[in-house]
Amino acid sequence: MRIYQLSDCHLQVSEAEPRLNLIRALTLIEDKGDSDVLLLTGDLVCDPSIEIYAQFKAIVQAHTSIGRIFAIAGNHDDLAMMKSVFSGSRIQVKNHVHLNHDLSLCFVDSSQKPLANMSLGAGRVSRKSLRSLKQFTRKHQSIVVIHHPVVNLGAKWFTQIGIENNLDVIEAIHPQTLAILSGHAHAFFKQPIEIHGQIIPLIVSPATSYGFEHAKPNYEKNANVGIMVYDILIDIGSVRSSLPAKKYLLNESVLNLL
């Protein structure tokens, strides 16, 4: 099974580059012809409106034939507006979906505004979503998909715009989880996270719009844009543990757009 991930497209009415990069990414995936699932992991647009989400939907539907497309909201998005505009299209906004009888995707909304006074761009996961995350990942071996990374990483300024209650999110994730996929950082990261004694990889996708210069102390953009590719393979050599045997392995790679 092959999954592609596009993140932080930041589509705008007045700026051409994010639009061209989104089309370039979708065309690249379509030309390969090997995708089973497409994930759109938040900050789909820069300033939410019915018009810009309709344009986003039209671009996706015109440039890919993938049938299973799933979107989540980022801090720039309006979740209710997304659901309304995408309704009836191939872009689905769901809480979870079963990829097959024993592997699922669990989508977590981190686009809620923090309760405390945090920097613009930070997010929060509601109590209801935390309960759902805990219950679902306990029952089903899952890949957790969330816009914000669940740990602070990257440049110091970027650590100020994470998830307000990220420790609650980590606590809610069951250790049988295969991986955690996110965006928001506008750069690729892979970081192991220990959750209840198990190591789970956090994989952060680059953006299609523009990159962040995490090596610099202050906010700075760069031209590094890309998408993620995930191959899910059967783990023949799973070892015994107190948890159900891992049935799958996830291998990731980055496809640069420029």
Side-chain angles (χ1 to χ4, degrees), residues 44-153:
L44 308 184
V45 305
C46 194
D47 298 303
S49 68
I50 297 293
E51 177 188 4
I52 196 64
Y53 280 125
Q55 290 185 23
F56 185 92
K57 177 178 69 174
I59 290 171
V60 171
Q61 298 207 129
H63 291 90
T64 182
S65 59
I66 298 170
R68 306 184 81 183
I69 306 174
F70 305 103
I72 61 172
N75 49 284
H76 277 266
D77 289 309
D78 183 306
L79 181 57
M81 196 178 293
M82 281 174 53
K83 289 180 177 179
S84 175
V85 175
F86 295 163
S87 177
S89 75
R90 281 182 287 133
I91 306 174
Q92 303 176 64
V93 182
K94 291 180 169 289
N95 293 327
H96 53 76
V97 64
H98 300 295
L99 295 174
N100 54 36
H101 67 280
D102 54 12
L103 184 64
S104 303
L105 295 171
C106 181
F107 301 106
V108 182
D109 177 28
S110 63
S111 70
Q112 303 300 306
K113 302 302 181 188
L115 300 179
N117 185 21
M118 296 181 69
S119 299
L120 186 65
R124 181 177 179 84
V125 176
S126 70
R127 290 182 179 180
K128 181 180 179 181
S129 292
L130 287 172
R131 288 195 300 270
S132 177
L133 172 63
K134 184 174 183 177
Q135 292 167 3
F136 191 82
T137 58
R138 181 178 298 276
K139 188 174 181 180
H140 304 281
Q141 184 175 207
S142 301
I143 298 169
V144 171
V145 184
I146 183 170
H147 177 68
H148 293 75
V150 298
V151 296
N152 292 325
L153 44 72

Side-chain angles (χ1 to χ4, degrees), residues 161-181:
I161 57 171
I163 303 175
E164 179 182 29
N165 56 337
N166 70 304
L167 296 181
D168 294 332
V169 178
I170 293 171
E171 178 66 25
I173 296 173
H174 194 275
Q176 72 171 337
T177 298
L178 185 60
I180 305 165
L181 310 183

